[in-house]
Amino acid sequence: MTSAAHSPIWHPFTQHALHGAMTKVVRGDGAYLYTEDGARIIDAIASWWVVTHGHCHPHIVEAIQQQAAELNQIIFAGYTHQPAEDVAKALLKLTPKGLDYVFFSDSGSTAVEVALKMALGYWRNIGEPRSRIVVMQHSYHGDTVGTMSVGARGVFNAAYEPLLFDATVIPFPAAGHEQATLDALQAACRAKPAAFIVEPLVLGSGGMLIYSPSLLREMKRICEAAGVLFIADEVMTGWGRTGTLFACQQADISPDIACYSKGLTGGSLPLAVTLCRGEIYEAHYSQDRTRTFFHSSSYTANSVACAAARANLDLWQDPQCMTRIEAVAAMQAQRLAPFESDPRFENVRRIGTITALDLKAPDGGYLAGIGPKLLGFFASRNLLLRPLGNTIYVMPPYCVTADDLDEIYAAISEAADLPG
Ligand SMILES: *Cc1c(COP(=O)(O)O)cnc(C)c1O
């Protein structure tokens, strides 16, 4: 499973001193990854939440091949191309009403940085400069300096703390404490912040923490009434994960700014978009060049990535796609049910195709002692599961089978009895 030769590669979120050699994967197909020594791994977390329809989906692969041979990259300032035009138009048809413009970038973090810059640019350009951002406790919005600033502080970013800007944090709406969240948001909005940014319905990296659509709706209402921009970070929640195409749909809200990435290309190539309301674009639209939106990446709207996104959007035109998601959600629910009365676990929860449960451990949190043991155990079972501390979650590609899920949950049950 592992390659013994020394590699100069420094891997993400990996403590090389504690981790053996990396598993070398040579092929991906549907819900499976194949290693160089012939093992078949079930990808139970969609390769870090990006793979929606499965690895190497033929329709997406074909689109990539065709586009790569035709036009694979051009500057996106002053130039455009059909795949980007098609993706932008198709996105505006699918996303909540009121989002009128599409800004391309290449990762979820960048999409969030762009959202923050759009918000501050909006306020500055309308002559009412604002810069404070309101955030929810336990949130994750990326690993760049700006996105770390609006995300939860902790072991992940302690070393960089001096560089992070200050944000107003409202509590996570834990069951029974929802009003405190709403009151805190209301109070924060009185100080005229630029924006409130939130992961709709489920906080991913924060530990798959779920809250209700009615709360999301209420938070949007508070921001709207106070004239505070509402940014929905749907980088993880988009593309069917929560049971609807986008999480905001369940609350019937239209954010002022929305970020999408991960499943945008079906998990095939890096691409991200930040969508915004007309007013935000219009605040930058001027004969005065100082009001330009000054943001770009070299690979903005890469044409091959856009062709992959267009192919992904084709797949979403087929009603079978949502039927499949409902089936995965139901299969997940069925397998999760027995864990609800299992004394070894707590906080057994599900939203759409995502399930999560916490292994009762003496020390919780991301660095819980049990974490590396779980990782090793699942790897030994040829399962790609990557617990967040003592929180085990399953977020499979939508082509996962009932048998795959049986294997996954059997391993989760066994993992609870690993010697501490
Ligand atoms: C993954 C994630 C990001 C960051 O996306 P990258 O593509 O990894 O930069 C931002 N927000 C949320 C909610 C995410 O889950």
Side-chain angles (χ1 to χ4, degrees), residues 48-50 106-112 140-144 147 198-200 202-205 233-237 259 261-262 271-272:
W48 248 348
W49 324 347
V50 299
D106 39 31
S107 73
S109 299
T110 314
V112 172
Y140 176 81
H141 298 291
D143 281 337
T144 54
T147 58
V198 72
E199 296 165 80
V202 50
L203 276 53
S205 299
D233 177 357
E234 292 234 29
V235 168
M236 187 280 275
T237 52
C259 308
S261 185
K262 295 202 165 116
L271 188 71

Side-chain angles (χ1 to χ4, degrees), residues 19 48 136 169 174 197-198 228 234 246 263 269 279 322 375:
H19 203 293
W48 248 348
M136 185 181 275
V169 184
I197 181 166
V198 72
V228 172
E234 292 234 29
F246 301 112
L269 285 172
E279 294 95 303
M322 209 32 101
L375 204 58

